[in-house]
Structures are given as structure tokens and as C-alpha cells.
Amino acid sequence: MLISIMMERLNLIFERMESMSSDILQHVSHITALFPSLADISIQDWSEEGIAIMEIQPNYVIDEGQFLEYAVLILEGTVRMYKISSSGREITLYRINGGECCPLMMASILGESEYEASASVESPSVVLAIPVHIFRDWMDRYKSFRQFIFKMFAKRLFIMSNLLDSINFKSIRGRVAEYLVLMTEDGSDSLAITHDTLSVELGTAREVISRTLKSLQKEGLLNVSRGRISDIRREGLKVYVE
């Protein structure tokens, strides 16, 4: 039943995409400004049936295990990629923004296999949706597009390698400190985030996060309140960054 509900949601979106496909040529200049690798695509190829630009609202989810019908390139917005373990624990893999695509999504399309992650739209997003048979054809015929996809693979492989290194070799105190330092690079000393969200970002239990934050608070490196971490002492936290 869950699968049927998911497919109904996807079908509704794809029906909307078809209604927007006739306007795709009006957006080619904007698309190629974000994705220069698509500049070589011919007008004839852009006119292929099924290519569309669509808006997706926050909290829309593509669940792991689906066979994808479209390759998606992000024009605007943010999408979070994550995995859920057999025990139900969730971890953020990475995020993609305007001018990017999800390599795991592309890998499942090229390999004709199930999507091996889940994707959640975090902010109002605009995407370019390309039917998988057209995507594969463009990959074969357009070198610049193919190189762009491979560069995305390389970039995310590096990020995933760092994530695995962090999980396996860094202490949770060091990982929390590193996350807080990274998220306050703009000079802010406060971060709106719940313990649940932080546990998802770092792939650990909520109780572990709460215990670690309480310990850091006792050291005077931050203050914890409901839904917010404030008075963050970046220089002090950097001592724990491994």
C-alpha cells in the first residue's frame, strides 16, 4: 500500500511536468547558465517529449529503493540526501543545491538499479527533469555533459569518504564541535537546531547528542535551550576538532 501511495504521488508530479514541458525552450538560457555542460545540447534534443521544469515544495521525499524515471538537476533550492539503517537510524549524506545533481541518483539510472538513498526537499525548489532514456542518450553523445556528471561523482565521493572517516575515526565530541564550527562560519554564535536534527546530521543517537552538548555546556563552550544552541565559543570548540 505504501508503494502504491508513493507511485500516486510521483504520477501526479510527472503529470504536472508534462504540462510544463512545452515551455522548456524558454528556459534553456537559464539552465545553461547554471549548467554550462548543457550548452552543447541541440534545440532538437531540448524539444524531446518529457523534458520539463517543475517546482517541488519542501518535505517532498523520494524514498530509497525506487527505480527512477527521471534524472533531476537542481536549478534552485536545496535537497538533502540521507540513508536510514535497518534499525531506523538516519544519517545525512550530503546536500545538493542549484547547479548540482545527485550522483547516487545518476548512478542508479546509469546502472538501471534501485535508488540507494532517500532525498528530501528542504526548501522550495525548481528542478530540470530529464526522462532516463534521454539522460542516457545525452551521456553517450555529449562529452561536456558526461564530464560534468563524472565530476559530480568525484566531488561527492570525496565528501562521502570524509563522512566515513568522521564516523569511524573521530569522537562524537569532535564531530559535534566540528559541525557547530562549520555551521557558524558566518560569525554567528547561535544555531537553531534540535537534538533530533543534530543526531540525524551526524548519524548517532539523540541521547548521545544530548549528553555531549550537556558536557560542552558544562565547559562553558555553549548554552543549550529548546531548539537552539547559543553562546557558541568557536575557538574553544576548535580544540576538539580532530
Side-chain angles (χ1 to χ4, degrees):
M1 183 175 180
L2 177 60
I3 295 297
S4 63
I5 292 174
M6 287 162 45
M7 293 309 298
E8 286 178 8
R9 291 168 60 194
L10 285 172
N11 288 335
L12 287 173
I13 286 183
F14 293 145
E15 286 173 7
R16 183 182 178 190
M17 289 167 56
E18 291 174 0
S19 69
M20 300 174 69
S21 60
S22 60
D23 299 328
I24 190 68
L25 295 180
Q26 301 175 21
H27 300 282
V28 169
S29 60
H30 174 59
I31 294 169
T32 54
L34 287 169
F35 295 92
S37 62
L38 294 176
D40 294 336
I41 306 297
S42 69
I43 295 299
Q44 181 179 357
D45 283 333
W46 278 118
S47 301
E48 288 276 359
E49 184 178 353
I51 302 173
I53 289 178
M54 61 176 293
E55 297 177 357
I56 306 179
Q57 295 305 310
N59 300 319
Y60 179 77
V61 173
I62 297 177
D63 292 302
E64 182 174 356
Q66 296 188 39
F67 284 93
L68 303 174
E69 297 181 25
Y70 289 81
V72 175
L73 307 183
I74 308 298
L75 302 178
E76 298 175 18
T78 301
V79 180
R80 182 175 71 95
M81 307 300 165
Y82 61 96
K83 290 278 288 184
I84 300 177
S85 70
S86 57
S87 64
R89 182 171 296 175
E90 184 177 325
I91 183 170
T92 298
L93 301 177
Y94 52 80
R95 287 175 170 81
I96 55 174
N97 303 288
E100 297 180 322
C101 63
C102 174
L104 289 176
M105 184 176 290
M106 303 309 162
S108 70
I109 291 172
L110 293 174
E112 300 184 21
S113 58
E114 296 177 351
Y115 185 39
E116 295 185 0
S118 296
S120 175
V121 177
E122 289 193 321
S123 63
S125 299
V126 179
V127 305
L128 171 66
I130 307 170
V132 294
H133 69 279
I134 297 176
F135 173 80
R136 294 190 188 108
D137 178 53
W138 288 6
M139 282 283 290
D140 287 339
R141 294 194 292 116
Y142 291 103
K143 180 180 178 181
S144 59
F145 184 51
R146 184 166 61 250
Q147 288 178 329
F148 166 74
I149 297 299
F150 288 156
K151 285 179 180 178
M152 286 289 100
F153 276 124
K155 179 180 178 180
R156 297 305 170 181
L157 182 61
F158 178 75
I159 291 174
M160 293 293 293
S161 176
N162 285 342
L163 176 63
L164 290 173
D165 178 72
S166 177
I167 292 173
N168 290 320
F169 302 112
K170 295 181 180 180
S171 67
I172 188 60
R173 179 183 290 255
R175 295 176 63 206
V176 169
E178 184 176 36
Y179 182 85
L180 294 177
V181 169
L182 178 64
M183 298 303 292
T184 55
E185 283 185 335
D186 60 357
S188 171
D189 67 348
S190 180
L191 184 64
I193 191 169
T194 65
H195 292 197
D196 283 331
T197 300
L198 188 52
S199 69
V200 166
E201 291 296 317
L202 299 182
T204 190
R206 182 189 187 282
E207 294 75 15
V208 174
I209 293 296
S210 298
R211 191 162 55 245
T212 302
L213 289 175
K214 185 176 181 180
S215 176
L216 292 171
Q217 181 172 253
K218 286 183 177 179
E219 295 180 35
L221 296 175
L222 50 81
N223 282 315
V224 180
S225 57
R226 186 178 181 83
R228 180 169 293 276
I229 302 172
S230 58
D231 299 322
I232 297 172
R233 311 292 199 270
R234 284 172 49 83
E235 294 305 314
L237 289 174
K238 286 179 181 179
V239 173
Y240 293 111
V241 177
E242 303 167 25

